[in-house]
Amino acid sequence: MKLPSHITPPPPRRHSPDRTPVYAIVGNPNCGKTTLFNALTGLRQKVGNYPGVTVEKKIGTTWSQHGRPIQIIDLPGAYSLAARSPDEAVLRDVLFGRREDTPQPDRIICVVDAANLERNLYLVHQILDLGRPVIIALNMMDMAAGAGLKVDAGELEGELGIPVIACEAVHGRGLVELKLAMSRVDLPLARHRWDVPGPVAPAVAELQASLAQNDARPPLVARAEALLLLTDFDTVRVAGSKPLSARTHEILDQWRKRWEGEGADWPAALIRTRYNAIAHLCRNVITRPGTSRPSLSDRIDAVLCHSIWGWAVFGVIMAALFYSIFSLAEPPMDFIDGHVAALGDWVKGAMAPGDLRDLITDGIIAGVGGVVIFLPQILILFFFVGLLESTGYMARAAFIMDRPMSKVGLNGRSFIPLLSGYACAIPGIMATRSIENAKDRLVTILVTPLMSCSARLPVYLLMIAMVLPGEAVSPVQKAGLMLLMYALGTIGAFGFAWLFKRTLFQGGSPHMILELPAYQPPRFKDILRHMVERGWLFLKNAGTIILAISIVLWALTTYPKHPDPEATATEQIAHSFAGRAGHVIEPVIKPLGFDWRIGIGLITSFAAREVFVSSMGVIFGVEGDDEDTTPLRDALHAAHWPGGAPLFTPLVCLTLMVFYVFAMQCMATLAVVKRETNSWRWPLFQTFYLTGTAWLVCLVLYQTGRALGY
Amino acid sequence: MSASLRSLAPLCQLAPGATGRVCELTGDEGFCQRVRELGFGEAALVTKISGTTTSLCLVNGTRLALNHHAAMSILVETLPANAR
């Protein structure tokens, strides 16, 4: 497309030697942008083999061949600059210089998947309209070769006149050449020529002039935006939340009405014209195999996406996950448990009796140690989630789950955040940014905390050990009970999604188009790194939040001291600040079978669910009259009501687990929901509806159980 | 030949293994434009891999999953096996 006569294209930008140049890494979802970003910057941002892993920009630094710093911004993937979801909007806004917190990139690295070149070049084609220096990183050349495609990077470079670097970011190939290109001061502008259909040209010129004059857009951004507005009349998708001027709106409306009157679909024609230009560009770039055979991914998909076998495999994967959590984790858990107990005994033996010794043994060791022993199981959970993400199965799970999701008014795309929620609700809620429909996104955010996250594991495991104690019970039974809790949460998420889609967020059935990436062997290095990061985060929480809460809780259960020095430990807690607070809320939770001590655990675990276990360790740890540290499980078994009835009956343990399935007890999740919805309304609503549901379900469960004689 | 004279069927009814040519998009404007931007617009060739409610298709070497609603909005004409 030729520029109007009144606009002069800017000369190629040369970044001055004393200024750090800013590069943006852009491309379609799942084309390897973050892998390339990590390879260039040495950072360790999360990567995965499914679309939508990166939902927010990431900034890092690399060094040119001359040793000068280069800032790199990794942006979420997008198929087009006409953003249809919040993550795509990040890309649009950064490239158009609309984000105040991010510098507008001087140069752009377009990462394209060599195995899907034409479709990837659609976004590149739009970006070239911006008239900024671009480097194309032709990534996944190995995958293209595996599919029988020959992609000629030199030919594409010749056609466009900009550097085109063939690379395999995952294997580190092509990085040196890419850095050399990035180090160039005089990056050329693309020979980007394409002719919009004749009848569209006047509309482009008129809109472009208005955008420049009335909306203060720089000339080339105005041209790119005009082309987008004529491709997609939805101004919010193109222009973002900042409204366009009345004059630009007026011009856009005039052209739309005119074209509707003529019965012409010029927006579709614009896309076709781009694709024709891309096909012309690629005519000598790609050589396809004469015959096409089903790829390995096709053959695997024939089983994993099969209407019957797909479900069977999904079920086996989930069962294997829960079985492994019990069977593989036991030896390391016993190891940690033994050492925590030995440490407590050693401190008790080494220190003189007194408040300081009690603080260390009953507060810190019982509280933090009680949570740390669940580390092996958390690591196993993240190993499995990492496997699903790395191989490409995550997108297949969304495909399989689309049908049940459609029954509740959502689509399979919502299942990826829900599945991520099994590990942690926070990345799950962040992942909803890839959902195009705003109502579906909000519904998914509201129900994601129902997916049992890793923080619930310690609570479930402790309660399962209470319900099914001893070595004689097989791991299968324990895994079955755990699976039941996960299933209950999932059913709850589906049920509430169904309810919300029929009441608060009514809307038609959403369309879903989801790209399924080719299967890849698991990248164990990335999985292990992610496991270590999550494990470290868990330990950091144990060393900070849980440690602090354990100390505070110990103080609240220790002071004020009972006036009678001979008072029992139970009388002391009842007299303490925590005991008094617990008694205040006891009337609310007593119908669920919980006493005031459990109530304290419920309150403290609003900080994080796993705090419940440490709270129980502190509260029931102080009851131990002997010098040996009593395992928490035994201490809970020994706990009783004032009348002598056991407190932690199997029914109460089950009810507690169900409470944790439904209740909203995670401050970090609430903060993320507030940020993602830009309002306190939804996190508050979420807290009340989830905790209210937890109370009601537990009431029915406990009272029914009691009526049946349990 | 005009679309009305051809035998058009929704994508979800294309038999597994069969190839069709996209002839018409019937969804809302935003959906149609996104489908076109993905290279799945009118005249694109699509091969069905599997599925009836949720369809798995191959377009330009890209494996795409479409839910029933999306697959109903894409009308294709089945190409004879020797024409692929």
Side-chain angles (χ1 to χ4, degrees):
Chain A
M1 185 186 144
K2 293 183 182 69
L3 289 173
S5 55
H6 64 280
I7 293 177
T8 310
R13 286 193 191 188
R14 287 169 178 264
H15 49 256
S16 60
D18 55 344
R19 186 178 159 275
T20 303
V22 179
Y23 275 84
I25 297 185
V26 304
N28 282 187
N30 209 45
C31 67
K33 295 176 295 301
T34 303
T35 306
L36 187 65
F37 175 79
N38 287 344
L40 287 171
T41 60
L43 294 176
R44 294 171 176 180
Q45 297 298 338
K46 188 183 173 187
V47 292
N49 186 22
Y50 62 99
V53 180
T54 306
V55 292
E56 186 49 275
K57 65 177 170 61
K58 308 275 168 48
I59 297 179
T61 302
T62 190
W63 304 90
S64 75
Q65 66 174 135
H66 313 296
R68 296 207 175 93
I70 297 173
Q71 197 177 51
I72 304 182
I73 309 172
D74 180 27
L75 293 168
Y79 292 109
S80 162
L81 287 181
R84 282 177 172 76
S85 52
D87 59 340
E88 289 192 338
V90 175
L91 169 76
R92 176 200 64 198
D93 292 344
V94 171
L95 288 189
F96 283 12
R98 294 179 190 157
R99 297 257 307 217
E100 286 175 6
D101 62 345
T102 313
Q104 188 173 13
D106 304 303
R107 297 163 166 209
I108 300 164
I109 301 171
C110 288
V111 184
V112 300
D113 175 0
N116 293 302
L117 190 60
E118 285 107 326
R119 199 209 57 215
N120 278 249
L121 283 178
Y122 182 83
L123 177 70
V124 177
H125 206 261
Q126 289 180 322
I127 287 170
L128 291 178
D129 286 343
L130 291 169
R132 241 169 285 161
V134 167
I135 298 170
I136 292 181
L138 207 50
N139 197 23
M140 302 187 180
M141 290 293 280
D142 51 337
M143 305 277 283
L149 295 172
K150 283 183 187 160
V151 182
D152 189 338
E155 184 70 31
L156 188 60
E157 182 168 310
E159 288 283 342
L160 286 171
I162 56 175
V164 177
I165 315 291
C167 59
E168 293 165 28
V170 71
H171 300 121
R173 290 184 194 130
L175 293 180
V176 174
E177 293 83 351
L178 183 60
K179 275 203 173 182
L180 283 174
M182 291 168 71
S183 303
R184 286 175 62 176
V185 178
D186 56 341
L187 268 184
L189 288 176
R191 287 195 292 273
H192 180 51
R193 296 281 180 273
W194 68 293
D195 296 317
V196 297
V200 182
V204 175
E206 198 177 350
L207 263 178
Q208 179 188 343
S210 177
L211 283 163
Q213 196 177 337
N214 304 308
D215 299 273
R217 304 284 201 262
L220 284 170
V221 169
R223 186 166 64 97
E225 201 168 319
L227 283 164
L228 285 177
L229 283 166
L230 293 169
T231 307
D232 185 346
F233 286 121
D234 189 322
T235 53
V236 174
R237 279 203 286 259
V238 174
S241 53
K242 192 178 173 187
L244 292 173
S245 65
R247 177 64 190 142
T248 304
H249 257 299
E250 195 183 321
I251 294 169
L252 192 62
D253 278 344
Q254 279 171 3
W255 281 103
R256 177 166 48 192
K257 280 176 189 158
R258 185 167 160 184
W259 290 350
E260 276 172 5
E262 291 170 357
D265 192 355
W266 291 115
L270 263 174
I271 296 173
R272 264 201 307 278
T273 308
R274 271 196 202 276
Y275 265 107
N276 289 341
I278 291 165
H280 182 72
L281 198 64
C282 294
R283 67 195 184 285
N284 296 322
V285 174
I286 310 173
T287 311
R288 298 180 193 282
T291 55
S292 62
R293 288 176 300 143
S295 66
L296 179 63
S297 288
D298 291 338
R299 291 199 293 273
I300 297 173
D301 274 339
V303 178
L304 297 192
C305 295
H306 190 270
S307 54
I308 296 166
W309 295 118
W311 277 101
V313 172
F314 184 70
V316 167
I317 289 172
M318 288 295 142
L321 163 64
F322 294 115
Y323 182 79
S324 306
I325 284 176
F326 282 96
S327 58
L328 299 181
E330 210 163 294
M333 283 183 76
D334 288 344
F335 176 81
I336 297 172
D337 198 13
H339 280 77
V340 167
L343 181 66
D345 290 343
W346 180 78
V347 172
K348 283 205 168 182
M351 290 180 72
D355 279 359
L356 182 61
R357 189 186 78 166
D358 289 347
L359 168 66
I360 295 171
T361 55
D362 300 334
I364 296 171
I365 296 176
V368 176
V371 173
V372 167
I373 63 164
F374 297 105
L375 180 66
Q377 285 162 318
I378 304 277
L379 291 178
I380 290 172
L381 177 72
F382 279 104
F383 175 74
F384 266 84
V385 173
L387 268 187
L388 300 185
E389 290 179 343
S390 172
T391 53
Y393 186 76
M394 204 75 161
R396 272 72 185 184
F399 174 82
I400 291 168
M401 290 302 292
D402 179 73
R403 200 172 174 185
M405 297 295 285
S406 69
K407 305 278 183 206
V408 301
L410 296 175
N411 65 45
R413 198 176 269 277
S414 290
F415 190 67
I416 291 179
L418 294 183
L419 200 57
S420 303
Y422 280 141
C424 177
I426 292 169
I429 287 166
M430 300 272 288
T432 61
R433 290 186 186 185
S434 64
I435 297 173
E436 295 170 10
N437 185 298
K439 287 180 180 175
D440 290 357
R441 179 168 179 254
L442 195 48
V443 170
T444 310
I445 287 174
L446 288 176
V447 302
T448 296
L450 282 162
M451 308 304 280
S452 286
C453 61
S454 58
R456 287 167 168 111
L457 259 184
V459 181
Y460 292 166
L461 293 165
L462 180 64
M463 291 299 123
I464 288 171
M466 300 282 292
V467 177
L468 301 170
E471 302 283 317
V473 181
S474 79
V476 176
Q477 279 177 284
K478 293 178 181 176
L481 186 53
M482 173 91 94
L483 196 58
L484 191 68
M485 292 302 127
Y486 276 73
L488 195 61
T490 310
I491 291 167
F494 278 53
F496 276 110
W498 178 86
L499 185 68
F500 292 148
K501 284 291 284 182
R502 272 153 191 79
T503 52
L504 295 174
F505 306 101
Q506 288 179 348
S509 302
H511 291 99
M512 179 194 80
I513 300 186
L514 181 69
E515 187 179 346
L516 301 187
Y519 288 101
Q520 286 179 13
R523 290 158 62 182
F524 286 106
K525 196 175 151 193
D526 287 337
I527 296 172
L528 288 175
R529 185 194 296 156
H530 189 53
M531 279 169 65
V532 169
E533 282 169 3
R534 296 302 307 200
W536 174 240
L537 192 67
F538 179 76
L539 289 177
K540 214 164 87 176
N541 268 347
T544 53
I545 299 171
I546 294 171
L547 174 67
I549 290 175
S550 297
I551 292 172
V552 170
L553 196 59
W554 174 84
L556 291 175
T557 54
T558 306
Y559 302 105
K561 292 279 189 187
H562 198 283
D564 178 6
E566 301 299 314
T568 63
T570 308
E571 286 168 343
Q572 165 55 37
I573 296 181
H575 183 74
S576 69
F577 292 123
R580 292 174 199 181
H583 280 104
V584 171
I585 63 158
E586 194 178 66
V588 180
I589 55 172
K590 203 169 180 181
L592 315 182
F594 307 158
D595 77 341
W596 58 273
R597 290 168 293 183
I598 297 176
I600 294 170
L602 297 182
I603 292 171
T604 52
S605 58
F606 262 104
R609 291 180 177 93
E610 64 268 39
V611 171
F612 176 81
V613 175
S614 61
S615 300
M616 291 296 101
V618 174
I619 294 166
F620 289 94
V622 296
E623 284 192 87
D625 293 329
D626 57 341
E627 285 296 297
D628 293 327
T629 307
T630 314
L632 179 57
R633 203 170 52 191
D634 296 342
L636 297 186
H637 268 305
H640 52 263
W641 289 92
L647 174 60
F648 284 94
T649 62
L651 179 62
V652 168
C653 293
L654 207 59
T655 309
L656 249 177
M657 277 197 280
V658 171
F659 187 87
Y660 274 89
V661 167
F662 289 103
M664 180 70 220
Q665 287 176 295
C666 181
M667 286 194 295
T669 302
L670 289 175
V672 169
V673 172
K674 192 264 165 189
R675 192 183 69 190
E676 294 297 307
T677 60
N678 205 22
S679 152
W680 276 111
R681 184 179 164 199
W682 295 113
L684 287 174
F685 171 74
Q686 205 169 27
T687 305
F688 285 113
Y689 103 81
L690 286 172
T691 310
T693 303
W695 191 88
L696 270 178
V697 173
C698 287
L699 179 75
V700 172
L701 176 67
Y702 180 71
Q703 295 301 335
T704 307
R706 291 275 292 169
L708 293 172
Y710 288 100
Chain B
M1 201 190 315
S2 73
S4 58
L5 293 177
R6 286 174 293 191
S7 168
L8 300 186
L11 179 59
C12 52
Q13 289 178 15
L14 194 67
T19 297
R21 177 177 284 117
V22 178
C23 294
E24 202 177 327
L25 303 173
T26 61
D28 63 70
E29 191 186 296
F31 167 74
C32 293
Q33 292 302 76
R34 175 42 58 103
V35 168
R36 289 181 185 118
E37 286 180 322
L38 285 168
F40 206 162
E42 292 87 345
L45 294 183
V46 50
T47 302
K48 181 84 161 275
I49 298 174
S50 66
T52 47
T53 46
T54 308
S55 301
L56 186 57
C57 303
L58 201 61
V59 183
N60 272 337
T62 306
R63 216 175 277 98
L64 293 172
L66 298 95
N67 70 355
H68 189 60
H69 196 48
M72 282 293 286
S73 305
I74 299 173
L75 301 181
V76 297
E77 62 167 338
T78 308
L79 296 179
N82 57 4
R84 287 166 211 166

